[in-house]
Amino acid sequence: MSVRRLLAAVVAGLSAAPALADDFAFMPPGGGSILAGSLLPGDATGLAEAAARKASAEDWAAWARERNPDLPDAAIETFAGYAALNFPVAAEAAQSLAETGDPALLPPDGKELAIAQCQFCHSLFTGYLMQDRDETNWRGTFKAPFHAEIPMSEVERDTFAHYSAINMPLKFGDVPPELRF
């Protein structure tokens, strides 16, 4: 997919993110994808119940380890932070999840936010994928005037920072050549 088509799809909204998943399969999954794909695949009721639950990151990590003990620690930590920051969802959202089982109804995860926001002004490769920062420093990027204007809520910024601190930087060779530089 060309960068122009990709940007057009992203501008159309995060609902386009599942269609873009193959183009960004090289990136580690975000918390919503981990929930829907590795912890509760195909379970609409389970998705709704999880999204309606409030728990700490530690409790979410224990819950995830019980459901899928083979999940790597980075995936557990990515999911647990996402869930602690984004759940519980509003009752209407949980009801829609129960009715449809559509994981696109979950709040955007860190990967989706990065794909949607990090390539308008700079290269995704050099400006994001190769950056090695902790959560505080990722959160601090939003203090820069050009990043302060990015249309993200505080929870989305925290979700982005949490995902990025765990999953970035990627290894050079893991990024498709067409997305380098």
Side-chain angles (χ1 to χ4, degrees):
M1 174 179 284
S2 73
V3 172
R4 185 179 310 235
R5 282 186 46 218
L6 173 64
L7 288 175
V10 170
V11 169
L14 285 176
S15 62
L20 303 175
D22 290 343
D23 291 335
F24 293 95
F26 67 92
M27 290 175 66
S33 295
I34 293 166
L35 176 63
S38 299
L39 298 173
L40 295 170
D43 183 355
T45 302
L47 280 176
E49 288 173 359
R53 179 175 176 245
K54 181 171 180 59
S56 68
E58 294 79 17
D59 290 339
W60 280 116
W63 180 87
R65 280 190 183 90
E66 284 178 19
R67 294 207 168 277
N68 187 343
D70 296 327
L71 207 56
D73 288 341
I76 295 279
E77 189 178 345
T78 297
F79 163 73
Y82 166 80
L85 287 164
N86 289 279
F87 297 162
V89 297
E92 300 81 31
Q95 180 63 35
S96 293
L97 272 167
E99 291 170 1
T100 67
D102 184 0
L105 297 174
L106 292 168
D109 62 33
K111 178 178 178 175
E112 292 168 330
L113 292 165
I115 292 168
Q117 300 296 339
C118 291
Q119 43 193 342
F120 289 106
C121 300
H122 51 73
S123 160
L124 185 67
F125 180 74
T126 58
Y128 178 67
L129 298 173
M130 296 292 109
Q131 297 296 314
D132 187 7
R133 300 177 183 168
D134 63 15
E135 196 165 339
T136 300
N137 286 318
W138 277 112
R139 187 71 172 86
T141 62
F142 295 106
K143 292 179 182 177
F146 44 88
H147 284 139
E149 300 301 319
I150 295 173
M152 291 168 61
S153 70
E154 291 304 308
V155 169
E156 289 173 331
R157 290 172 187 230
D158 290 342
T159 300
F160 167 87
H162 180 78
Y163 169 83
S164 301
I166 295 167
N167 295 291
M168 297 303 129
L170 294 182
K171 293 179 181 145
F172 181 87
D174 290 343
V175 179
E178 64 272 14
L179 291 178
R180 295 179 195 158
F181 305 100

